[in-house]
C-alpha cells in the first residue's frame, strides 16, 4: 500500500488533487484515468479505499438502493441479491481501485487540514495534518455527505458507564451476547441492525422519535439473478431498474397522490407482520411517504414483535450512568448504547477550511449568504474547485452513483473548457449561481420533503433542504452534460 512521505516543508505539485477515496473520489480518479489524464493525486485520510462503506461495519449493514444501480456504469457489478451488503460493496471498490490502477495514485493516511486559492499563480495550496503541502491547478472534493456522525446532545450522556458508540463507529470489541442494548434512532441503519441485535443480545430497547415507512424487501428471483450475471443483460436490468425508480420522483416532487399506493402497501406490510394493535399504532407514520427516507425490510417488524425487544416512543429526557430515562419518568437499565442517529449532512463540506478568492473561506461564504452552489458542484469565489455529492445532489428515489458520474463528467468538461480557452482557471458567475439556487428552492417548496409533515435529515434546523435534488435524476444529467461558457469567468 502506497504511503505519503511525511515531513514539514515538503511540497508536491500535481494538475488535479482529489480528496477522498470513496465512491466519489474513486469515480473521479477513474474518470481522469479513462480520459487519459495521469497527472493527479488522491488523498485519503484512512488506510484503505471505501469511504462510508469502509467505516460502516455495523451488523446487517447493506445498501438500501437496488444493487443493479449501485455500481459505476463503466464497471457494472453482478451482485448477489437485490440489496448489496457492506462487505460486497467494499470489495467492489477495492477491485475498481486495483483494476484501474488507482491505488498507485492514492496517498493513504493523509488528512487535509486546510487550503487556499493562490490568485496570483492560479493554484490551490492544500496543507495536511502531517505538514505536507500539495499544489494543484484543480481541486476535487470527494469526501461524501455521510461521513460525519451525528450524536444528539442528551443530558447525562457523558456519564453513561458502559460502551456507547455511533453505528458508523461500531466497536467490534464489545460482546453484545446477553447484554441490554439501547438503540437510539430508527433510520436506515437501525432498520438493518435491530434484527441482528435482537437475535444476539439479551434484550433490545429501540428509542423511536418518528416511525419510518417500511416496504417489503422484495428479493430477486433466480431468473433475475441469472440475468444479472450476463454483461449484456445486466445492462438491461440496470436500465429497467433505473427507469422504474425514476417513476417515484413524480410523487415525491409535487404529486403526492401518486404515492398513495406505496402507503397502502407499507400499511399492509405492517398489518401482516405486527398483529399487536398497540405496537402497530406506534409503528404507523403520520406523515406522507417519502418525507423521510423510504426503507425496506422483512425482518424489522418481526424483530420488534419478539420478546426481549421493546419499542419506546417517549422522548429521552436524560442518560444516567446505568441507563436511559424517558420523559414519562420511566428508567430503563442498559449495558450498551448505540446511536443510530445518522450524519451531519447539511454544510459538512464547509468543515474543511478552504479559502477562495479574497481569502474568504467556504464556511464564511455559506454563513454569510446561505449554502449556495451551482449544480451542487461549484461555488462562486472558489475557482477550479469541484464538489462531488455536494448540496442538493442527494436522491430520495434513485442511486447517488448516477449523480456522482454526472458530476465527474462535468468536472472533466470544465477542465477541457479551461484548456480550450487557453485560460488557467474558471469561476462560476455569482448571477448564474443565484439563478440556480432560486430555481432549485422554488421547486423544493412543493416537494414532499417540504410539505409531507415530517422533520428529517433532509431539512436543516432552519427548514431549508440542502440535501435532495428536486426532480428526476435524468434532469440533473441533462443540466450537467455540458459546461456553459457564459455561466463562468475564465481567469
Amino acid at each position: 500500500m502506497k504511503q505519503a512521505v511525511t515531513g514539514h516543508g515538503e511540497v508536491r505539485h500535481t494538475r488535479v488533487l482529489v480528496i477522498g477515496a470513496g465512491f466519489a473520489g474513486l469515480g473521479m480518479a477513474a474518470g481522469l484515468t479513462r480520459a487519459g489524464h495521469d497527472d493527479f493525486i488522491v488523498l485519503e485520510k484512512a488506510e484503505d479505499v471505501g469511504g462510508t462503506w469502509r467505516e460502516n461495519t455495523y451488523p446487517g449493514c447493506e445498501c438500501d438502493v437496488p444493487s443493479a444501480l449501485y455500481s459505476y456504469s463503466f464497471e457494472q457489478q453482478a451482485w448477489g441479491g437485490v440489496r448489496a451488503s457492506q462487505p460486497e460493496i467494499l470489495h467492489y471498490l477495492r477491485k475498481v481501485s486495483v483494476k484501474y490502477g488507482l491505488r498507485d495514485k492514492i496517498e493513504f493516511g493523509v488528512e487535509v487540514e486546510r487550503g487556499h486559492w493562490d490568485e496570483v499563480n492560479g493554484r490551490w495550496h492544500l496543507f495536511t495534518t502531517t505538514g505536507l503541502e500539495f499544489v494543484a491547478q484543480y481541486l476535487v472534493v470527494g469526501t461524501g455527505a455521510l461521513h460525519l456522525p451525528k450524536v444528539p446532545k442528551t443530558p447525562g450522556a457523558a456519564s453513561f458507564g458502559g460502551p456507547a458508540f455511533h453505528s458508523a463507529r461500531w466497536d467490534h470489541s464489545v460482546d453484545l451476547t446477553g447484554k441490554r442494548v439501547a438503540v437510539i434512532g430508527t433510520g436506515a441503519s437501525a432498520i438493518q441492525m435491530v434484527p441482528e441485535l435482537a437475535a444476539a443480545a439479551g434484550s433490545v430497547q429501540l428509542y423511536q422519535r418518528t416511525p419510518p415507512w417500511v416496504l417489503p424487501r422484495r428479493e430477486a428471483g433466480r431468473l433475475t439473478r441469472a440475468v444479472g450475471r450476463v454483461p449484456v443483460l445486466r445492462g438491461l436490468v440496470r436500465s429497467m431498474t433505473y427507469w422504474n425508480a425514476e417513476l417515484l420522483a413524480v410523487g415525491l416532487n409535487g404529486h403526492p397522490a401518486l404515492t398513495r399506493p406505496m402507503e397502502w402497501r407499507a400499511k399492509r406490510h405492517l398489518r401482516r407482520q405486527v398483529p399487536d394493535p398497540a405496537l402497530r399504532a406506534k409503528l404507523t407514520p403520520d406523515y406522507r411517504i417519502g418525507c423521510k427516507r423510504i426503507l425496506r425490510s422483512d425482518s424489522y417488524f418481526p424483530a420488534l414483535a419478539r420478546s426481549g425487544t421493546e419499542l419506546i416512543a417517549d422522548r429521552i429526557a436524560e442518560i444516567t450512568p446505568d441507563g436511559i430515562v424517558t420523559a414519562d419518568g420511566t428508567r430503563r437499565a442498559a449495558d450498551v448504547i448505540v446511536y443510530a442517529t445518522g450524519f451531519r449532512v447539511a454544510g459538512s463540506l464547509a468543515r474543511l477550511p478552504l479559502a477562495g478568492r479574497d481569502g474568504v473561506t467556504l464556511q464564511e461564504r455559506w454563513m454569510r449568504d446561505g449554502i449556495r452552489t451551482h449544480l451542487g458542484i461549484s461555488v462562486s469565489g472558489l475557482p477550479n474547485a469541484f464538489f462531488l455529492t455536494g448540496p442538493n445532489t442527494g436522491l430520495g428515489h434513485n442511486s447517488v452513483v448516477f449523480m456522482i458520474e454526472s458530476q465527474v463528467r462535468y468536472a472533466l468538461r470544465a477542465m477541457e473548457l479551461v484548456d480550450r480557452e487557453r485560460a488557467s482557471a474558471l469561476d462560476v458567475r455569482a448571477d448564474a449561481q443565484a439563478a440556480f439556487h432560486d430555481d432549485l428552492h422554488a421547486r423544493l417548496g412543493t416537494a414532499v420533503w417540504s410539505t409531507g409533515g415530517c422533520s428529517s435529515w433532509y431539512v436543516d434546523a432552519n427548514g431549508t433542504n440542502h440535501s435532495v435534488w428536486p426532480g428526476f435524476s435524468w434532469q440533473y444529467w441533462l443540466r450537467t452534460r455540458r459546461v456553459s461558457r457564459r455561466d463562468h469567468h475564465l481567469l
Side-chain angles (χ1 to χ4, degrees):
M1 180 179 293
K2 184 180 179 182
Q3 297 287 342
V5 178
T6 61
H8 290 273
E10 182 181 350
V11 180
R12 303 273 300 279
H13 292 264
T14 186
R15 182 169 184 262
V16 184
L17 187 67
V18 182
I19 304 176
F23 254 108
L26 287 180
M28 187 71 228
L32 287 162
T33 297
R34 296 173 71 238
H37 301 294
D38 186 60
D39 189 7
F40 69 91
I41 296 173
V42 181
L43 303 183
E44 169 55 53
K45 65 181 180 180
E47 300 299 334
D48 196 3
V49 301
T52 190
W53 296 108
R54 180 194 62 244
E55 296 184 2
N56 282 271
T57 60
Y58 59 83
C61 182
E62 66 178 15
C63 183
D64 59 1
V65 173
S67 58
L69 302 175
Y70 213 73
S71 59
Y72 300 116
S73 62
F74 59 86
E75 189 63 35
Q76 295 182 32
Q77 175 75 1
W79 301 101
V82 173
R83 303 283 184 265
S85 69
Q86 177 267 334
E88 286 181 296
I89 298 171
L90 182 57
H91 174 75
Y92 167 77
L93 291 172
R94 287 170 173 165
K95 182 187 75 171
V96 169
S97 71
V98 172
K99 180 175 180 178
Y100 291 88
L102 306 181
R103 297 188 82 87
D104 291 337
K105 295 292 187 177
I106 303 173
E107 303 284 0
F108 290 101
V110 178
E111 184 172 3
V112 176
E113 186 175 52
R114 58 187 172 86
H116 70 264
W117 172 253
D118 179 348
E119 295 196 54
V120 175
N121 297 308
R123 292 294 185 270
W124 279 99
H125 294 252
L126 277 294
F127 301 87
T128 73
T129 55
T130 56
L132 283 168
E133 178 182 357
F134 289 86
V135 181
Q137 182 178 5
Y138 299 101
L139 173 64
V140 181
V141 181
T143 53
L146 304 180
H147 68 104
L148 294 176
K150 180 176 66 176
V151 177
K153 296 180 180 179
T154 306
S159 72
F160 184 67
F165 46 86
H166 191 275
S167 59
R169 301 290 185 268
W170 195 268
D171 188 345
H172 291 276
S173 69
V174 177
D175 183 4
L176 300 178
T177 305
K179 298 291 178 57
R180 297 167 295 186
V181 181
V183 178
I184 300 175
T186 52
S189 57
I191 293 294
Q192 295 168 7
M193 77 171 68
V194 164
E196 303 287 332
L197 298 180
S203 65
V204 175
Q205 306 158 19
L206 178 61
Y207 291 85
Q208 170 187 276
R209 183 181 64 177
T210 310
W213 285 100
V214 182
L215 290 167
R217 181 182 168 84
R218 195 171 60 189
E219 287 292 353
R222 283 182 294 180
L223 177 60
T224 302
R225 290 197 297 270
V227 166
R229 297 189 187 100
V230 181
V232 175
L233 297 180
R234 187 187 307 148
L236 177 61
V237 171
R238 181 183 176 100
S239 179
M240 292 173 61
T241 306
Y242 171 82
W243 288 110
N244 182 62
E246 284 293 270
L247 294 175
L248 179 56
V250 181
L252 298 180
N253 292 280
H255 301 279
L258 298 178
T259 61
R260 289 295 187 192
M262 294 187 72
E263 292 185 357
W264 297 334
R265 286 178 56 216
K267 289 180 178 179
R268 183 179 62 184
H269 184 51
L270 177 58
R271 286 195 303 270
R272 286 177 173 176
Q273 292 204 314
V274 182
D276 179 5
L279 178 58
R280 194 164 62 239
K282 287 183 179 181
L283 291 168
T284 301
D286 61 358
Y287 56 90
R288 300 305 308 269
I289 196 168
C291 186
K292 297 170 73 73
R293 190 162 184 88
I294 301 170
L295 308 176
R296 289 184 179 273
S297 177
D298 292 333
S299 57
Y300 176 64
F301 290 145
L304 295 180
R306 66 186 292 171
S307 62
T309 305
E310 181 182 8
L311 177 69
I312 301 112
D314 294 307
R315 179 180 60 84
I316 295 176
E318 66 173 317
I319 295 175
T320 65
D322 60 357
I324 296 176
V325 181
T326 49
D328 64 353
T330 302
R331 294 177 174 269
R332 294 176 176 85
D335 301 311
V336 180
I337 294 177
V338 177
Y339 293 97
T341 46
F343 301 86
R344 295 196 294 271
V345 177
S348 63
L349 288 172
R351 292 177 60 84
L352 176 62
L354 291 176
R357 302 178 74 178
D358 303 319
V360 181
T361 67
L362 178 61
Q363 183 179 43
E364 290 168 341
R365 292 174 192 279
W366 283 355
M367 289 182 65
R368 180 188 65 197
D369 305 324
I371 297 177
R372 292 170 177 258
T373 71
H374 182 60
L375 300 172
I377 303 172
S378 308
V379 176
S380 182
L382 276 74
N384 282 7
F386 306 99
F387 299 92
L388 308 182
T389 66
N392 294 108
T393 63
L395 296 173
H397 69 284
N398 215 312
S399 173
V400 72
V401 180
F402 179 88
M403 305 292 275
I404 289 171
E405 291 201 61
S406 297
Q407 294 157 7
V408 167
R409 183 185 62 247
Y410 183 89
L412 289 171
R413 291 185 177 174
M415 296 174 195
E416 291 171 2
L417 175 61
V418 172
D419 290 343
R420 191 166 60 247
E421 296 288 335
R422 299 181 183 278
S424 63
L426 83 169
D427 187 12
V428 66
R429 296 172 60 94
D431 57 345
Q433 177 174 281
F436 171 77
H437 176 86
D438 292 345
D439 173 67
L440 177 84
H441 286 278
R443 289 188 290 139
L444 280 169
T446 61
V448 68
W449 308 288
S450 301
T451 64
C454 77
S455 61
S456 72
W457 62 265
Y458 293 132
V459 180
D460 67 13
N462 298 316
T464 305
N465 189 331
H466 295 301
S467 304
V468 187
W469 170 253
F472 299 105
S473 62
W474 61 261
Q475 291 175 314
Y476 187 79
W477 178 87
L478 283 174
R479 292 291 298 271
T480 57
R481 76 190 188 282
R482 55 182 294 272
V483 180
S484 171
R485 169 67 178 83
R486 65 175 179 272
D487 286 346
H488 294 83
H489 298 291
L490 285 169
L491 309 175

